[in-house]
Amino acid sequence: MPVDPEILERQSRVTLHDVAAAAGVSKSTVSRILDERLPRSDSETAKRVRQVAADLGYVRDGAAASLRRGNTMTIGVVVPRLTDTVMAMHYEALARACSRTGRFAIVAITEDEPKADRTAAQTLLQRGVDGLILSTARTDDDFPQELTARGVPFVLILRTDGRSLSSVVDDRLGGYLATRHLLDLGHRRIGLIAGPDYASSSQGRLKGYQQALAEAGVSVDPSLIVDATFGIDSGAEAAETLMRLPVPPTAIFAVNDNTAIGALSTLQRLGLSVPGDVSLVGYNDIPIVSRLPTPLTSVRVPFDQIANAALDLLTHGPTGEHDRIRIATPTLIPRRSTAHPPR
């Protein structure tokens, strides 16, 4: 039966000191009795301590224990899902970064659900990881602040809350490059398949889109901005909405490659040619997009650079306040899915 994350949170607040005080013994005695690595004692004191710990709901904090006894050389990685190629690439980049430094990455998935984030993090900490790398930060959730209050070492990756240690790509620049490319080709009605508004990555790409339009003197048409998740089906639905407008766009910028692939399927189903009728740009440059029948123009994200920076922040910390958020630079990769608008 799944454990309620709220119960886990309450349990995590019960300390060795609390157990020691309730059992009437020293903190070091409790630590020794509850340390699974040591031979189990069946003395009356040990039995009492274990019973008190169970009654109080004490859960061993693996992160704190690993700091006391030295690093376990394992890093906990929390991702929304691994069926998403971007998340799989991100995890593989972190695994490579860990391997180069003699560490091992353990992954947990959460389906981008805040309660599941807490459960996954707690489970990883109980297994003694030295710290967490989270790609699930949400602007509508204060989980990073909870981890900070508990003293858990962590770094946010790909998304940021603007305060915690983070390693991200410059998503505003990426959104700007994608939109500027379409503007330079002559497009003026550019649809945006936007990501979820709780993700800083989506927000940044939207701001870049708006900035590029403003610089070109093109007014932002709210009807051309359609919210979506980061999934293929959602991208297909968003493209359908855009192309059913009275005046449809001549180009679409999708804020990740999955939604761009979904959009491509809709455009083909509607009998529209890419890029003859509609130009299309994606984001992240996952490997498959260069192998599509119409290779996709995309914004490349340097996953290895981001992963290396995240691990460095986790293991060594920032060099100063200016170094708390490390930002990598994206690159536009033009391919055959973009062209001048139809006449």
Side-chain angles (χ1 to χ4, degrees), residues 7-22 30 34 49 52-61 64 122 150:
I7 294 176
L8 284 173
E9 286 190 78
R10 291 197 295 272
Q11 291 174 337
S12 68
R13 299 191 187 108
V14 179
T15 66
L16 285 174
H17 179 78
D18 297 328
V19 177
V30 173
L34 298 182
V49 166
V52 168
D55 291 343
L56 292 177
Y58 172 78
V59 176
R60 178 175 168 273
D61 190 332
Q122 185 65 28
R150 290 177 54 190

Side-chain angles (χ1 to χ4, degrees), residues 9-343:
E9 286 190 78
R10 291 197 295 272
Q11 291 174 337
S12 68
R13 299 191 187 108
V14 179
T15 66
L16 285 174
H17 179 78
D18 297 328
V19 177
V25 297
S26 69
K27 180 179 174 182
S28 61
T29 297
V30 173
S31 179
R32 185 174 63 254
I33 291 170
L34 298 182
D35 192 334
E36 303 94 335
R37 299 170 303 153
L38 299 178
R40 180 183 175 90
S41 170
D42 287 320
S43 69
E44 290 304 314
T45 298
K47 291 178 180 178
R48 184 171 76 255
V49 166
R50 284 194 290 270
Q51 185 60 53
V52 168
D55 291 343
L56 292 177
Y58 172 78
V59 176
R60 178 175 168 273
D61 190 332
S66 68
L67 290 174
R68 288 193 297 272
R69 66 175 183 259
N71 292 339
T72 63
M73 302 301 284
T74 58
I75 304 298
V77 180
V78 180
V79 302
R81 59 192 63 83
L82 286 175
T83 52
D84 183 330
T85 305
V86 172
M87 289 297 113
M89 292 175 65
H90 147 62
Y91 173 63
E92 289 179 359
L94 281 170
R96 286 191 293 270
C98 286
S99 180
R100 284 191 291 269
T101 59
R103 293 176 171 82
F104 187 76
I106 303 174
V107 68
I109 61 174
T110 68
E111 297 298 332
D112 233 350
E113 293 292 338
K115 285 190 175 182
D117 287 351
R118 289 166 168 80
T119 302
Q122 185 65 28
T123 300
L124 290 168
L125 292 171
Q126 288 172 0
R127 280 156 177 74
V129 297
D130 295 329
L132 300 171
I133 295 180
L134 311 172
S135 62
T136 54
R138 301 169 61 109
T139 57
D140 59 358
D141 185 51
D142 59 0
F143 185 42
Q145 286 68 55
E146 295 172 18
L147 292 175
T148 298
R150 290 177 54 190
V152 174
F154 73 95
V155 171
L156 306 181
I157 193 168
L158 300 182
R159 304 181 193 171
T160 181
D161 62 359
R163 298 180 296 276
S164 305
L165 296 181
S166 308
S167 180
V168 296
V169 70
D170 190 337
D171 284 302
R172 181 167 185 155
L173 175 59
Y176 176 88
L177 292 173
T179 310
R180 182 75 255 177
H181 171 66
L182 294 169
L183 288 165
D184 289 344
L185 288 171
H187 296 276
R188 290 300 179 267
R189 282 191 65 76
I190 301 173
L192 176 69
I193 299 179
D197 59 9
Y198 58 73
S200 65
S201 52
S202 300
Q203 295 176 0
R205 295 166 204 178
L206 169 61
K207 290 175 182 176
Y209 165 86
Q210 294 168 329
Q211 178 185 348
L213 291 179
E215 287 185 6
V218 177
S219 299
V220 175
D221 182 346
S223 71
L224 290 174
I225 301 174
V226 180
D227 292 335
T229 68
F230 288 128
I232 293 175
D233 290 344
S234 185
E237 294 169 4
E240 177 98 28
T241 298
L242 287 170
M243 301 316 298
R244 297 298 184 191
L245 290 172
V247 183
T250 61
I252 296 173
F253 166 38
V255 296
N256 85 342
D257 289 335
N258 282 339
T259 50
I261 290 170
L264 183 61
S265 70
T266 289
L267 295 173
Q268 291 176 338
R269 181 172 55 79
L270 295 176
L272 297 170
S273 166
V274 175
D277 297 311
V278 184
S279 286
L280 181 63
V281 179
Y283 200 103
N284 287 308
D285 197 36
I286 62 177
I288 194 174
V289 300
S290 66
R291 304 292 184 179
L292 294 172
T294 301
L296 182 69
T297 296
S298 189
V299 177
R300 178 171 295 168
V301 172
F303 289 104
D304 282 302
Q305 179 185 344
I306 294 168
N308 289 334
L311 187 59
D312 184 61
L313 280 171
L314 185 65
T315 55
H316 299 108
T319 58
E321 282 300 310
H322 67 284
D323 189 43
R324 293 185 60 82
I325 301 178
R326 296 189 186 175
I327 304 175
T329 301
T331 307
L332 179 76
I333 309 296
R335 296 193 181 96
R336 297 210 313 268
S337 67
T338 49
H340 298 288
R343 294 181 178 179

